[in-house]
Each structure stands twice: as structure tokens, then as C-alpha cells.
Amino acid sequence: MIVVAVVAGLTVWTTRRAPETGDTSGGLTASAPVEFDLGRQLLRLGDLPGPVRTATYTIRPDLHKLEISGALTDASPSRGDHLSSDYAWQVEILMATRGADVHSFVPYDEDSGPAVIPRERVAPVHGRRAVQALSDQNRVLAWEYAPDAEIRMMLSTASTAERRDEMARQVAEGVRWETTPRALPFEVDGLPDGAVRKSTYLRWEADGPVVVSADYLVAPVENEHDYPGPVITIGIDTSSLGSAAGSDDVTVSGRRATARESRGSGTVGIYRVAQLPGGCAECVAELVIAPAATAAIGDRDDALRLAASIRLVKGHEDPTRWRFW
């Protein structure tokens, strides 16, 4: 199946240096890196409340973020009718580098501002000190996975409070540290000189598209307060090319494509090219250009040429070797 074949190679391509870690025999690392390697997956989950419907994995130099939602296998009436949907639970896990803050979960209300959420010490997670925060249908557990380095796990579900606590503990105890290669499944030609990859992203949906992308900083940041700076996003997905509202149907290198430029506070360009070479003719290449990055890329023709250069790399033939939860 093409959807699986596209992402299967995420675990087989060569990567850069391994992250700084200590002994992992206990399931988690004994020391945390000061900067994450964008080519390594470090988190895997061994226990989830039910079948997964959507999953995303984002890797930044300072943070790993894993978001998963799905259905509950527990048929208990205490779940309530609301949980008959496919998205009966959601899990978000943040893992930060040494010395970084994973930011406690703080709900915000437009009238009253940030909510004050009491946190309490609870039983250790993986043998390390942990705190818990409670808020409506959320359970938040945070613990040190290594000295001066934290993981925060938030579980959201409308189950009973006791069941939420039980599920949150099971998910947290099921977190494992793994240094799995997670290289990009595509290559691209024509990036500006000095372009630096800033993050990688993979999204999977049951019976839906798979999206793999990377953000690149393509020019120096003139002001440290300018966020996210001159960034472009390059990626592929398994959805059809379509013809979104406001997009122009065009052709580039003999291939079908769409182009859209939206002008608000700045021009955002979205360029999609079909008939992706490299073993997945059904896949679509996509380039998104933030306003600050427009000058570094050029005009529409330049953007379309860059998008058309995106291609799959070899090594995505084994569908049994990709999973990130």
C-alpha cells in the first residue's frame, strides 16, 4: 500500500550523530542531551488506552513532541455517550533537553486569565520524582527522565476521575527511550545556501493521509524577536493534489501543480506538485513559504521549481519497520 511505503523508510536511512545519552538499560536515559539530533526518534509508548486514530511526532533541537488520539477499548458505561467517537482520548508528551522547561499545563480563560492548577507530588514515574496536575478532563504527569531534564505527559478523556488517573499512570509508565533513526524520506534540490533544518514533523491518520515535512531557516534572523523568522516548510503527503479555493492550477516540469499566494500581514505561498518521483506517483510534494522567507526563495516560478525538485529517497520498501508510538 502506498501510504505505508512512503513512511516505511523513516527508520532505515542514515542519520547524523547520535544524541548524548547514558545507559538506557532501565528504559530511560541516564543523561539528557543539551540539543536533540533531528534525525533521531527518542520516544516510544508501550501502553495506550485504545486503538490509535491520529498520531504526530515533532522533533526540534530543544523538544520532542508526540501527540496521539484514539478510541477507547473500555466499554464501561461510566465513559458516557460522548466517548463513543473515534477520538475518546488524547495524549500529548513533551520531552525537553537538559535544563529546558516543558511548561506546566495551564488552561487559559479570556476573562480570568491563566488558571491556577494545584500540583502535587505523586508516586515516582520510572523510579523518578513526579508531580501531577488535575484540570477537568485532563491529567498531567511530569517527571525527570534524567537529571535536570523533564518529560510532561497530558492525557485528556471524559472517563471517570479514577479511570483517568489509572490511564495516565499506565501511559506514563509505558514511555520508553529509544534512539531510532528518523531521517526524512525525501530530498530536495535548490535550497538557499546556508539553509538550516529546524524541525521535522510526521503525521499519520487511520484511513487518511500521511504527512512528512521539515522546516528550514533559509536566511539569517535579523531580530531575535522575529518568530519564526524566514522559514519554509518542505514535505510530502499522500492526499490528492486537489484544487483548493484560491489556488491556481499550473504545470511545472510537465507535472500538475497548484499555486496560491495569500496576502495579509505578509505573503504566504503554498505550492503543491503531483506525480512525485521515487516510487510514489500518488504522493504530492508541498512547499510553504512564510512571508519573511519570500526574498530568499524568489517568485512563483522559483517556488514551483523548488517544490518540483522534492523526491523520495530509496529505502521505503519495508512497511514493517516504521512506527513512532
Side-chain angles (χ1 to χ4, degrees):
M1 182 177 178
I2 288 174
V3 169
V4 175
V6 170
V7 294
L10 290 175
T11 60
V12 300
W13 294 305
T14 58
T15 58
R16 302 179 298 144
R17 61 173 176 81
E20 175 193 345
T21 59
D23 177 27
T24 60
S25 59
L28 286 175
T29 182
S31 63
V34 293
E35 180 175 319
F36 290 131
D37 184 340
L38 298 182
R40 295 279 176 172
Q41 172 186 326
L42 297 181
L43 289 173
R44 188 177 294 276
L45 303 185
D47 198 340
L48 289 171
V52 174
R53 300 295 300 171
T54 68
T56 66
Y57 199 122
T58 304
I59 304 174
R60 300 186 339 211
D62 62 336
L63 187 73
H64 280 244
K65 183 177 183 180
L66 180 55
E67 300 169 279
I68 296 182
S69 64
L72 283 173
T73 54
D74 180 5
S76 168
S78 64
R79 294 187 310 155
D81 294 336
H82 171 71
L83 291 181
S84 62
S85 70
D86 283 341
Y87 302 97
W89 57 267
Q90 293 181 324
V91 169
E92 177 191 84
I93 295 181
L94 303 179
M95 182 172 71
T97 50
R98 186 191 315 157
D101 184 5
V102 291
H103 305 293
S104 297
F105 173 71
V106 180
Y108 186 86
D109 183 86
E110 291 184 358
D111 296 325
S112 58
V116 177
I117 305 298
R119 290 185 294 173
E120 59 181 3
R121 289 287 295 270
V122 292
V125 175
H126 293 280
R128 292 167 181 172
R129 66 180 185 88
V131 296
Q132 177 178 260
L134 311 177
S135 173
D136 298 328
Q137 297 181 358
N138 303 301
R139 290 296 183 269
V140 181
L141 279 173
W143 68 95
E144 281 194 337
Y145 70 91
D148 197 29
E150 290 186 314
I151 289 177
R152 188 201 76 183
M153 188 283 300
M154 180 174 70
L155 180 140
S156 302
T157 179
S159 294
T160 63
E162 294 77 10
R163 180 64 177 134
R164 280 194 291 271
D165 291 343
E166 179 185 355
M167 285 191 288
R169 174 63 60 168
Q170 289 175 343
V171 172
E173 291 290 354
V175 173
R176 291 294 180 267
W177 174 284
E178 293 190 2
T179 55
T180 304
R182 184 64 76 191
L184 291 174
F186 58 84
E187 295 176 340
V188 60
D189 295 328
L191 286 173
D193 292 341
V196 176
R197 180 149 48 109
K198 302 299 291 183
S199 66
T200 63
Y201 172 87
L202 192 154
R203 177 177 176 83
W204 175 90
E205 294 183 31
D207 303 321
V210 173
V211 179
V212 189
S213 65
D215 287 346
Y216 289 86
L217 188 67
V218 294
V221 177
E222 296 182 0
N223 189 318
E224 64 179 6
H225 300 294
D226 291 340
Y227 181 84
V231 170
I232 65 171
T233 300
I234 291 176
I236 59 173
D237 68 55
T238 59
S239 62
S240 62
L241 179 66
S243 186
S247 293
D248 298 326
D249 295 324
V250 296
T251 301
V252 55
S253 302
R255 297 157 58 191
R256 295 183 298 113
T258 61
R260 178 176 63 178
E261 289 97 10
S262 59
R263 294 171 175 81
S265 56
T267 299
V268 176
I270 302 176
Y271 308 90
R272 290 169 56 82
V273 182
Q275 301 163 281
L276 189 75
C280 182
E282 300 291 329
C283 292
V284 175
E286 182 173 89
L287 166 66
V288 180
I289 304 175
T294 302
I297 301 301
D299 58 19
R300 173 182 283 197
D301 290 340
D302 295 321
L304 284 168
R305 280 193 293 270
L306 181 58
S309 75
I310 299 172
R311 62 192 181 279
L312 288 168
V313 301
K314 294 180 180 180
H316 56 275
E317 294 84 3
D318 182 3
T320 66
R321 297 186 63 182
W322 84 274
R323 272 197 69 178
F324 56 97
W325 65 86

